[in-house]
Amino acid sequence: MTYTKKPNELEQSLVQKSLLHRMIKQIRRSLDLQEILTTTVSQVRLFLDVDRVKVYRFNASGSGEVIAESIHQQRLPSLLGLNFPVDDIPEAAREMFSLVGQRCIVDVPNGKIGLSPLHSIESGKNLESNIYYRQVDSCHIQYLKAMGVQSSLVMPILHSDLQEQSAKPKLWGLLVAHHSEPREILKRELKVLQEVTDEVGIAIAQSNLLTQAHAKQEREATINRVTTLLHKLPTIQLQRALEEVITGFGGIGGRLYIEQNGELYSWGDQPKLPYQSDDSIIEQHLVWQDWMAECKPNNVWASDDLYKEPRLRVLALGFRSTKIRGLMVIPLHYREKFIGVLSIFRSEFETEVLWAGRCEENRRQLLPQLSFELWREQKKGQSSEWKPEEILLAQALSEHFSMAIEQHQMYEHIQMLNVNLELKVKDKTTELEKSLLLAKVLKQVTEHIRRTLDLHTTLQSIVREVRPLLNSDRVLIFQMKTKSVIVEEINGNWQSVLGLNAPSECLPDEYGRLSFQGRVGAINNVSTAALSDCHREFLQSMQVQANLIVPINIGMELWGLIIVHECNAPRNWEDAEIDLLQQLGDQAAIAIQQAQLYEQTCNAETESRNQAAQLEHSLHELKETQTKLIQIEKMSGLGQLVAGVAHEINNPVNFIYGNLCHASDYTEQLLEILRLYQLHYANPHSEISTAIKAMDFDFLLQDFPKIITSMQVGTDRIRSIVLSLRNFSRLDEAENKRVDLHEGIDSTLLILQHRLKGNAEFPRIEVIKDYGNIPLVQCYAGQMNQVFMNIFSNAIDALGMGNGEWGMGNEEMRTTDKRDNEYNLYRVLREPSVEMPTIKISTKLSVDNSRLLIRIIDNGAGMTEEVKKRIFDPFYTTKPVGKGTGLGLSISYQIIVEKHGGIMECISEPGKGTEFWIEIPIKPPGKILN
């Protein structure tokens, strides 16, 4: 099918030139490659009036990608950004595109392909725009039909390197026109499109040239920035220069290692060998050093994937925990001298390739691609390729780094020589000034050590001021009375000799006599001085290599010695230093004498205060003892009373309990005889009948056994109460023995049963027992019962007055009508919003089974923090006057903590109830038992 009509040749030529001029002008308007290609496909599509025009670029792997496209009204699907496999365009077709500039026109309905070579294969000369048609491969036809194409035009885009005049053009890509209907391509159209593709090839070459120029400019800018940082003596900026290099190469990290001093600069992600310490340096590894020994100057090594390098298989372990994939190593040499190494790291990345459908590789040569649905190929662990221009940049930077580091090391060496010269001058100057300074400092030190009258502070001030003044390693004061070192001041990590006693055989009395006469002992070298072997070994054990000794004489007594130690090396003591220390010894003697007088005065005052405090403490202990005796006597009297009452009740109860069984048997026998009489004498005498009716004989026969049974239940109840009273009193268990504390808790609750029951003004208190499986506990049973009694009583009191509704504190609950009270109690017990007053008791063993934990919790009003801090204080109570003594919890605390070696704590908050935590050992330690 032909789209265009044939006008006359002159008019066609003018139209073609106009169109060609307009298209080329649009292409040359920009140097940006993508913009050039976008303009090209748009102009070509308008020129040919087809449905789709695209630019297909070949990748390095041989596959291709659609990078520019223009579509008319979406008549064909978009292929922009899709990749096509290598086999879609056979190798032979690509060779024809490259060698002769082959143009291809495919007529799908007729199954023909038109071939139009631009150059001759034999001569290489340009040919006329003739089109030779032949039958096309059916696979190619099916491929185009699958894309919805009826006619196709393919023109190669050849690219020449403008910097190489003799270089042959290379196949860069294809300019492809697709139409959804049959379309005839005219020779003049083919000629115009050939000129357009030639212009596109030139534009691509110019764009590449511009890109290379920009890249070169950027490399030169990087070199200039790095050079500026490296050659700013004396402040060479190696760290910043390293960061500039890493940024210039697009890296995520890097290192600069200097061999001479082992100095390391790093930035960004860093490798870490897993089997080495934190301060290890990978450049000091033997594998790395052997590798660097083989490197020659300007031999830059670069790898896109370090995990594929055999020589790095050991060091690659250090990179596993990082994203590093690419590695460039730049050895630094200066005139064959190895300076160090500069390393650049590049990150791995993930890419996604959009393929135009997915075909089986083994069937691609047999069948065409029938589906162009997108297939996303994920590629992980990819790395960027090190380009040749980057290698050249690395070599240039290597020279700058090597030269700058070498110059900086030479500069530092010169500076060190200058510093040493200045130090020598300063030492000479210091020696001249030192004699003048010592006199001035002596006065200041003397004033400082005499500021305080505290003896220890005075002695410590002496050694603290003398040590820096003489620039020594250790200064100490040796007291003759104790024969030991009492204070010291150390500079450095030398061992302490504080409290050290001097062996008497090493320091004979002659030393003390000479010191008392004012002799100053100066030893310049312990190893060569005329000392006894014992004395020399004693000094060497303290790491002393030279020492200076000045006596401290108070009156007619040698009080002690000021000793200066030099531990680092022998030292020649100067006369000025000896004279200064001797004057300080005299001033120290005065300061010590004043401090001793002040200490005696303070000791006398302290002794008077201690006596007053002891008397006050004794009075406090006496009051506490009196309080304990009162409470013990009360509990003892209560125990005796309870035991006596229990004993008196027990005898008649046992008598009644013992005879009730016989009375029950007798009753049964008598009733049996009455039944026999009724059976055999059915018609009794009239007087007997009257008496039977009068006494309601049938009811008597039914109720009499019930009375006997009720009496048995009552006596059982009385006997259990008596047993609980005896258990509570524990008069037979006043000593420490193993008991069941659950039994003591139950006995205490039974005694308090009358307070736990509800009445018209207060609902009953619910007791919840959460007893654990505990063994017998060795303790004072009577005293433990006393603790339970105090805690339970306080809990009942708190529940009684802690809540307005429980205690009927509002007017609604205060009523004399019995039915109203019963209704209020019923509301407390039944309404979910009103909580039942509760005491919860929990017992369990600790994790190591060595201690018993008892928790007693109530849901009363709780306590404030101020009250909780004082509840264990004697005589402290929050109850109204006459309601409490304030001794119960104080004595309970003493019983648990002091008597049983346990722990007693209180946990409470206002509105959240109160919990007492008791913890006692299953078997108390011996000192508690005694």
Side-chain angles (χ1 to χ4, degrees), residues 835-888:
E835 190 178 5
M836 171 72 73
T838 304
I839 297 176
K840 182 178 180 181
I841 307 165
S842 172
T843 62
K844 66 176 181 178
L845 288 176
S846 61
V847 177
D848 57 359
N849 295 329
S850 65
R851 304 177 75 83
L852 173 63
L853 310 178
I854 304 173
R855 298 172 62 196
I856 301 175
I857 308 168
D858 67 66
N859 59 347
M863 311 179 196
T864 62
E865 189 65 25
E866 291 76 12
V867 173
K868 190 175 67 172
K869 290 180 180 179
R870 299 189 57 191
I871 58 171
F872 295 125
D873 294 345
F875 303 106
Y876 177 76
T877 180
T878 59
K879 298 177 182 178
V881 178
K883 295 294 185 179
T885 63
L887 295 174

Short mmCIF file of all heavy atoms in Angstrom, two decimals, residues 835-888:
data_model
loop_
_atom_site.label_atom_id
_atom_site.label_comp_id
_atom_site.label_asym_id
_atom_site.label_seq_id
_atom_site.Cartn_x
_atom_site.Cartn_y
_atom_site.Cartn_z
N GLU A 835 -15.97 -2.73 96.14
CA GLU A 835 -15.05 -3.85 96.37
C GLU A 835 -15.20 -4.40 97.79
O GLU A 835 -15.35 -3.66 98.75
CB GLU A 835 -13.61 -3.37 96.14
CG GLU A 835 -12.61 -4.50 96.12
CD GLU A 835 -11.21 -3.99 95.84
OE1 GLU A 835 -11.05 -2.76 95.77
OE2 GLU A 835 -10.29 -4.83 95.72
N MET A 836 -15.20 -5.73 97.90
CA MET A 836 -15.29 -6.40 99.20
C MET A 836 -14.00 -6.18 99.98
O MET A 836 -12.91 -6.34 99.45
CB MET A 836 -15.51 -7.90 98.98
CG MET A 836 -15.41 -8.74 100.25
SD MET A 836 -16.82 -8.51 101.32
CE MET A 836 -18.07 -9.41 100.41
N PRO A 837 -14.07 -5.77 101.27
CA PRO A 837 -12.85 -5.67 102.08
C PRO A 837 -12.18 -7.04 102.19
O PRO A 837 -12.82 -8.02 102.55
CB PRO A 837 -13.35 -5.15 103.43
CG PRO A 837 -14.81 -5.45 103.44
CD PRO A 837 -15.29 -5.40 102.04
N THR A 838 -10.89 -7.08 101.86
CA THR A 838 -10.19 -8.36 101.71
C THR A 838 -8.80 -8.29 102.33
O THR A 838 -8.13 -7.27 102.26
CB THR A 838 -10.05 -8.72 100.22
OG1 THR A 838 -11.35 -8.72 99.62
CG2 THR A 838 -9.44 -10.09 100.03
N ILE A 839 -8.43 -9.42 102.94
CA ILE A 839 -7.04 -9.63 103.39
C ILE A 839 -6.55 -10.88 102.69
O ILE A 839 -7.14 -11.95 102.79
CB ILE A 839 -6.95 -9.80 104.91
CG1 ILE A 839 -7.42 -8.53 105.63
CG2 ILE A 839 -5.51 -10.14 105.31
CD1 ILE A 839 -7.44 -8.66 107.13
N LYS A 840 -5.43 -10.74 101.93
CA LYS A 840 -4.86 -11.87 101.22
C LYS A 840 -3.54 -12.26 101.87
O LYS A 840 -2.70 -11.41 102.15
CB LYS A 840 -4.62 -11.51 99.75
CG LYS A 840 -4.06 -12.68 98.94
CD LYS A 840 -3.89 -12.32 97.48
CE LYS A 840 -3.33 -13.50 96.72
NZ LYS A 840 -3.13 -13.18 95.28
N ILE A 841 -3.39 -13.59 102.12
CA ILE A 841 -2.19 -14.12 102.77
C ILE A 841 -1.53 -15.08 101.78
O ILE A 841 -2.18 -16.02 101.31
CB ILE A 841 -2.51 -14.84 104.08
CG1 ILE A 841 -3.35 -13.92 104.99
CG2 ILE A 841 -1.24 -15.29 104.78
CD1 ILE A 841 -4.02 -14.64 106.13
N SER A 842 -0.26 -14.84 101.47
CA SER A 842 0.47 -15.68 100.52
C SER A 842 1.78 -16.12 101.13
O SER A 842 2.48 -15.32 101.76
CB SER A 842 0.73 -14.89 99.23
OG SER A 842 1.58 -15.60 98.37
N THR A 843 2.09 -17.42 100.98
CA THR A 843 3.37 -17.95 101.46
C THR A 843 4.00 -18.78 100.34
O THR A 843 3.30 -19.49 99.62
CB THR A 843 3.18 -18.85 102.71
OG1 THR A 843 2.36 -19.97 102.36
CG2 THR A 843 2.54 -18.09 103.83
N LYS A 844 5.31 -18.66 100.21
CA LYS A 844 6.04 -19.49 99.25
C LYS A 844 7.52 -19.46 99.60
O LYS A 844 7.98 -18.62 100.39
CB LYS A 844 5.84 -18.98 97.83
CG LYS A 844 6.43 -17.61 97.56
CD LYS A 844 6.24 -17.25 96.10
CE LYS A 844 6.86 -15.87 95.81
NZ LYS A 844 6.71 -15.52 94.38
N LEU A 845 8.28 -20.37 98.99
CA LEU A 845 9.72 -20.44 99.21
C LEU A 845 10.44 -19.59 98.17
O LEU A 845 9.93 -19.36 97.05
CB LEU A 845 10.20 -21.89 99.10
CG LEU A 845 9.83 -22.82 100.27
CD1 LEU A 845 10.30 -24.23 99.95
CD2 LEU A 845 10.44 -22.36 101.58
N SER A 846 11.63 -19.12 98.52
CA SER A 846 12.45 -18.39 97.56
C SER A 846 12.98 -19.35 96.50
O SER A 846 12.81 -20.58 96.61
CB SER A 846 13.62 -17.70 98.28
OG SER A 846 14.44 -18.66 98.90
N VAL A 847 13.61 -18.81 95.47
CA VAL A 847 14.08 -19.63 94.36
C VAL A 847 15.10 -20.66 94.83
O VAL A 847 15.10 -21.80 94.37
CB VAL A 847 14.70 -18.72 93.27
CG1 VAL A 847 15.26 -19.56 92.13
CG2 VAL A 847 13.64 -17.76 92.75
N ASP A 848 15.99 -20.29 95.77
CA ASP A 848 17.00 -21.22 96.24
C ASP A 848 16.54 -22.04 97.44
O ASP A 848 17.34 -22.75 98.06
CB ASP A 848 18.28 -20.46 96.61
CG ASP A 848 18.02 -19.39 97.67
OD1 ASP A 848 16.85 -19.23 98.09
OD2 ASP A 848 18.99 -18.72 98.07
N ASN A 849 15.23 -21.97 97.79
CA ASN A 849 14.63 -22.76 98.88
C ASN A 849 15.29 -22.53 100.23
O ASN A 849 15.24 -23.40 101.12
CB ASN A 849 14.71 -24.27 98.55
CG ASN A 849 13.87 -24.62 97.34
OD1 ASN A 849 12.86 -23.99 97.08
ND2 ASN A 849 14.31 -25.62 96.58
N SER A 850 15.91 -21.37 100.41
CA SER A 850 16.57 -21.09 101.68
C SER A 850 15.78 -20.12 102.56
O SER A 850 16.09 -20.00 103.74
CB SER A 850 17.96 -20.51 101.43
OG SER A 850 17.86 -19.25 100.79
N ARG A 851 14.77 -19.46 101.99
CA ARG A 851 14.05 -18.45 102.73
C ARG A 851 12.55 -18.60 102.47
O ARG A 851 12.12 -19.06 101.41
CB ARG A 851 14.51 -17.04 102.35
CG ARG A 851 16.00 -16.83 102.52
CD ARG A 851 16.44 -15.46 102.06
NE ARG A 851 16.07 -14.41 103.00
CZ ARG A 851 16.77 -14.09 104.09
NH1 ARG A 851 17.88 -14.75 104.37
NH2 ARG A 851 16.36 -13.12 104.90
N LEU A 852 11.75 -18.21 103.49
CA LEU A 852 10.30 -18.24 103.39
C LEU A 852 9.80 -16.82 103.16
O LEU A 852 10.18 -15.89 103.88
CB LEU A 852 9.68 -18.83 104.67
CG LEU A 852 8.15 -18.76 104.76
CD1 LEU A 852 7.50 -19.58 103.66
CD2 LEU A 852 7.67 -19.21 106.14
N LEU A 853 8.94 -16.64 102.17
CA LEU A 853 8.37 -15.33 101.84
C LEU A 853 6.90 -15.31 102.23
O LEU A 853 6.12 -16.17 101.81
CB LEU A 853 8.50 -15.06 100.34
CG LEU A 853 9.90 -15.27 99.73
CD1 LEU A 853 9.86 -15.01 98.23
CD2 LEU A 853 10.91 -14.39 100.42
N ILE A 854 6.51 -14.35 103.08
CA ILE A 854 5.13 -14.20 103.54
C ILE A 854 4.65 -12.82 103.12
O ILE A 854 5.29 -11.80 103.43
CB ILE A 854 5.02 -14.36 105.06
CG1 ILE A 854 5.60 -15.71 105.51
CG2 ILE A 854 3.57 -14.23 105.51
CD1 ILE A 854 5.69 -15.87 107.00
N ARG A 855 3.52 -12.76 102.40
CA ARG A 855 2.95 -11.48 101.97
C ARG A 855 1.54 -11.38 102.54
O ARG A 855 0.72 -12.28 102.38
CB ARG A 855 2.90 -11.41 100.45
CG ARG A 855 4.26 -11.47 99.78
CD ARG A 855 4.12 -11.58 98.27
NE ARG A 855 3.44 -10.43 97.72
CZ ARG A 855 2.93 -10.41 96.49
NH1 ARG A 855 2.99 -11.48 95.73
NH2 ARG A 855 2.30 -9.33 96.04
N ILE A 856 1.26 -10.26 103.25
CA ILE A 856 -0.07 -9.99 103.82
C ILE A 856 -0.55 -8.68 103.19
O ILE A 856 0.05 -7.63 103.41
CB ILE A 856 0.00 -9.90 105.35
CG1 ILE A 856 0.54 -11.22 105.94
CG2 ILE A 856 -1.38 -9.58 105.92
CD1 ILE A 856 0.76 -11.19 107.42
N ILE A 857 -1.63 -8.76 102.40
CA ILE A 857 -2.07 -7.64 101.58
C ILE A 857 -3.52 -7.31 101.93
O ILE A 857 -4.36 -8.22 102.05
CB ILE A 857 -1.98 -7.99 100.09
CG1 ILE A 857 -0.58 -8.52 99.75
CG2 ILE A 857 -2.33 -6.79 99.22
CD1 ILE A 857 -0.49 -9.14 98.38
N ASP A 858 -3.81 -6.02 102.12
CA ASP A 858 -5.20 -5.59 102.29
C ASP A 858 -5.52 -4.54 101.22
O ASP A 858 -4.62 -3.95 100.64
CB ASP A 858 -5.43 -5.01 103.70
CG ASP A 858 -4.68 -3.71 103.93
OD1 ASP A 858 -5.01 -2.71 103.27
OD2 ASP A 858 -3.75 -3.68 104.77
N ASN A 859 -6.79 -4.38 100.95
CA ASN A 859 -7.23 -3.41 99.94
C ASN A 859 -7.86 -2.19 100.60
O ASN A 859 -8.86 -1.66 100.15
CB ASN A 859 -8.20 -4.06 98.96
CG ASN A 859 -9.43 -4.63 99.66
OD1 ASN A 859 -9.46 -4.75 100.88
ND2 ASN A 859 -10.45 -4.99 98.88
N GLY A 860 -7.23 -1.75 101.70
CA GLY A 860 -7.70 -0.57 102.41
C GLY A 860 -7.30 0.72 101.73
O GLY A 860 -6.97 0.76 100.54
N ALA A 861 -7.28 1.81 102.52
CA ALA A 861 -7.04 3.14 101.95
C ALA A 861 -5.58 3.38 101.61
O ALA A 861 -5.25 4.30 100.88
CB ALA A 861 -7.52 4.23 102.93
N GLY A 862 -4.63 2.56 102.12
CA GLY A 862 -3.22 2.77 101.85
C GLY A 862 -2.62 3.88 102.71
O GLY A 862 -3.26 4.45 103.59
N MET A 863 -1.34 4.17 102.48
CA MET A 863 -0.60 5.16 103.27
C MET A 863 0.09 6.15 102.35
O MET A 863 0.43 5.83 101.22
CB MET A 863 0.48 4.48 104.14
CG MET A 863 0.05 3.31 104.94
SD MET A 863 1.48 2.66 105.85
CE MET A 863 0.86 1.06 106.31
N THR A 864 0.35 7.31 102.85
CA THR A 864 1.19 8.28 102.15
C THR A 864 2.66 7.91 102.37
O THR A 864 3.01 7.09 103.22
CB THR A 864 0.94 9.70 102.67
OG1 THR A 864 1.29 9.76 104.07
CG2 THR A 864 -0.53 10.08 102.50
N GLU A 865 3.55 8.53 101.57
CA GLU A 865 4.97 8.22 101.68
C GLU A 865 5.53 8.64 103.04
O GLU A 865 6.38 7.96 103.61
CB GLU A 865 5.73 8.95 100.55
CG GLU A 865 7.19 8.55 100.41
CD GLU A 865 7.36 7.10 100.00
OE1 GLU A 865 6.43 6.57 99.37
OE2 GLU A 865 8.42 6.51 100.32
N GLU A 866 5.01 9.74 103.61
CA GLU A 866 5.50 10.20 104.92
C GLU A 866 5.12 9.21 106.02
O GLU A 866 5.93 8.91 106.91
CB GLU A 866 4.92 11.58 105.24
CG GLU A 866 5.44 12.71 104.35
CD GLU A 866 4.83 12.68 102.96
OE1 GLU A 866 3.83 11.92 102.79
OE2 GLU A 866 5.32 13.38 102.07
N VAL A 867 3.90 8.68 105.96
CA VAL A 867 3.47 7.71 106.98
C VAL A 867 4.25 6.42 106.85
O VAL A 867 4.69 5.83 107.84
CB VAL A 867 1.94 7.47 106.85
CG1 VAL A 867 1.50 6.34 107.78
CG2 VAL A 867 1.18 8.74 107.16
N LYS A 868 4.46 5.97 105.59
CA LYS A 868 5.13 4.69 105.37
C LYS A 868 6.58 4.72 105.90
O LYS A 868 7.09 3.71 106.36
CB LYS A 868 5.13 4.38 103.87
CG LYS A 868 5.59 2.97 103.55
CD LYS A 868 5.45 2.66 102.08
CE LYS A 868 6.39 3.47 101.25
NZ LYS A 868 6.39 3.05 99.84
N LYS A 869 7.23 5.90 105.85
CA LYS A 869 8.60 5.98 106.33
C LYS A 869 8.70 5.83 107.84
O LYS A 869 9.76 5.48 108.37
CB LYS A 869 9.20 7.33 105.92
CG LYS A 869 9.45 7.46 104.42
CD LYS A 869 10.03 8.82 104.09
CE LYS A 869 10.29 8.98 102.60
NZ LYS A 869 10.83 10.32 102.27
N ARG A 870 7.59 6.05 108.59
CA ARG A 870 7.68 6.08 110.06
C ARG A 870 6.91 4.96 110.74
O ARG A 870 6.84 4.92 111.97
CB ARG A 870 7.13 7.42 110.57
CG ARG A 870 7.88 8.64 110.06
CD ARG A 870 7.42 9.89 110.77
NE ARG A 870 7.59 9.78 112.21
CZ ARG A 870 7.07 10.64 113.09
NH1 ARG A 870 6.35 11.66 112.67
NH2 ARG A 870 7.25 10.48 114.39
N ILE A 871 6.33 4.03 109.99
CA ILE A 871 5.44 3.04 110.64
C ILE A 871 6.21 2.10 111.56
O ILE A 871 5.62 1.50 112.46
CB ILE A 871 4.67 2.23 109.58
CG1 ILE A 871 5.65 1.53 108.64
CG2 ILE A 871 3.71 3.10 108.82
CD1 ILE A 871 4.96 0.56 107.72
N PHE A 872 7.52 1.92 111.34
CA PHE A 872 8.30 1.04 112.19
C PHE A 872 8.97 1.79 113.34
O PHE A 872 9.73 1.18 114.10
CB PHE A 872 9.36 0.30 111.36
CG PHE A 872 8.77 -0.64 110.34
CD1 PHE A 872 9.11 -0.54 108.99
CD2 PHE A 872 7.86 -1.63 110.71
CE1 PHE A 872 8.58 -1.40 108.05
CE2 PHE A 872 7.33 -2.49 109.77
CZ PHE A 872 7.68 -2.37 108.45
N ASP A 873 8.72 3.10 113.45
CA ASP A 873 9.28 3.86 114.57
C ASP A 873 8.49 3.58 115.84
O ASP A 873 7.25 3.47 115.81
CB ASP A 873 9.24 5.36 114.27
CG ASP A 873 10.14 5.73 113.11
OD1 ASP A 873 11.00 4.89 112.75
OD2 ASP A 873 10.00 6.84 112.57
N PRO A 874 9.15 3.45 117.01
CA PRO A 874 8.43 3.23 118.27
C PRO A 874 7.51 4.41 118.60
O PRO A 874 7.85 5.57 118.35
CB PRO A 874 9.55 3.09 119.30
CG PRO A 874 10.77 2.74 118.51
CD PRO A 874 10.62 3.41 117.20
N PHE A 875 6.31 4.09 119.11
CA PHE A 875 5.33 5.07 119.61
C PHE A 875 4.72 5.91 118.48
O PHE A 875 4.08 6.90 118.75
CB PHE A 875 5.94 5.99 120.67
CG PHE A 875 6.53 5.26 121.84
CD1 PHE A 875 7.90 5.15 121.98
CD2 PHE A 875 5.71 4.65 122.77
CE1 PHE A 875 8.45 4.47 123.04
CE2 PHE A 875 6.27 3.96 123.85
CZ PHE A 875 7.64 3.86 123.99
N TYR A 876 4.93 5.51 117.21
CA TYR A 876 4.30 6.26 116.12
C TYR A 876 3.02 5.55 115.71
O TYR A 876 3.03 4.35 115.42
CB TYR A 876 5.23 6.36 114.91
CG TYR A 876 4.58 7.07 113.73
CD1 TYR A 876 4.44 8.45 113.74
CD2 TYR A 876 4.10 6.34 112.65
CE1 TYR A 876 3.83 9.10 112.68
CE2 TYR A 876 3.48 6.98 111.59
CZ TYR A 876 3.35 8.36 111.62
OH TYR A 876 2.74 9.00 110.56
N THR A 877 1.90 6.28 115.70
CA THR A 877 0.62 5.69 115.31
C THR A 877 -0.24 6.76 114.64
O THR A 877 -0.10 7.96 114.92
CB THR A 877 -0.12 5.10 116.52
OG1 THR A 877 -1.37 4.55 116.08
CG2 THR A 877 -0.41 6.18 117.57
N THR A 878 -1.08 6.32 113.73
CA THR A 878 -2.03 7.21 113.07
C THR A 878 -3.45 7.02 113.60
O THR A 878 -4.38 7.66 113.13
CB THR A 878 -2.03 6.94 111.55
OG1 THR A 878 -2.38 5.57 111.32
CG2 THR A 878 -0.67 7.23 110.94
N LYS A 879 -3.60 6.14 114.62
CA LYS A 879 -4.93 5.87 115.18
C LYS A 879 -5.30 6.98 116.17
O LYS A 879 -4.44 7.69 116.70
CB LYS A 879 -4.94 4.52 115.88
CG LYS A 879 -4.65 3.35 114.94
CD LYS A 879 -4.60 2.04 115.71
CE LYS A 879 -4.25 0.87 114.78
NZ LYS A 879 -4.15 -0.41 115.50
N PRO A 880 -6.60 7.13 116.44
CA PRO A 880 -7.01 8.14 117.43
C PRO A 880 -6.43 7.83 118.81
O PRO A 880 -5.98 6.72 119.10
CB PRO A 880 -8.54 8.02 117.42
CG PRO A 880 -8.88 7.38 116.12
CD PRO A 880 -7.74 6.46 115.80
N VAL A 881 -6.43 8.86 119.66
CA VAL A 881 -5.89 8.71 121.02
C VAL A 881 -6.66 7.62 121.75
O VAL A 881 -7.89 7.58 121.75
CB VAL A 881 -5.98 10.05 121.79
CG1 VAL A 881 -5.48 9.88 123.21
CG2 VAL A 881 -5.20 11.12 121.05
N GLY A 882 -5.93 6.71 122.40
CA GLY A 882 -6.54 5.62 123.14
C GLY A 882 -6.78 4.38 122.30
O GLY A 882 -7.16 3.35 122.84
N LYS A 883 -6.53 4.47 120.96
CA LYS A 883 -6.78 3.32 120.09
C LYS A 883 -5.52 2.52 119.79
O LYS A 883 -5.58 1.41 119.30
CB LYS A 883 -7.39 3.80 118.77
CG LYS A 883 -8.77 4.43 118.91
CD LYS A 883 -9.79 3.41 119.35
CE LYS A 883 -11.19 4.02 119.38
NZ LYS A 883 -12.22 3.04 119.79
N GLY A 884 -4.35 3.08 120.00
CA GLY A 884 -3.12 2.36 119.69
C GLY A 884 -1.94 2.95 120.42
O GLY A 884 -1.93 4.13 120.77
N THR A 885 -0.90 2.13 120.63
CA THR A 885 0.31 2.57 121.36
C THR A 885 1.46 2.89 120.41
O THR A 885 2.42 3.53 120.82
CB THR A 885 0.77 1.46 122.32
OG1 THR A 885 1.12 0.30 121.54
CG2 THR A 885 -0.33 1.12 123.31
N GLY A 886 1.41 2.42 119.16
CA GLY A 886 2.51 2.65 118.23
C GLY A 886 3.68 1.72 118.44
O GLY A 886 4.79 2.01 117.99
N LEU A 887 3.45 0.59 119.15
CA LEU A 887 4.56 -0.33 119.43
C LEU A 887 4.46 -1.62 118.63
O LEU A 887 5.44 -2.35 118.52
CB LEU A 887 4.60 -0.67 120.93
CG LEU A 887 4.91 0.48 121.88
CD1 LEU A 887 4.78 0.02 123.32
CD2 LEU A 887 6.31 1.01 121.62
N GLY A 888 3.28 -1.93 118.11
CA GLY A 888 3.07 -3.24 117.48
C GLY A 888 4.00 -3.47 116.31
O GLY A 888 4.73 -4.48 116.27
#
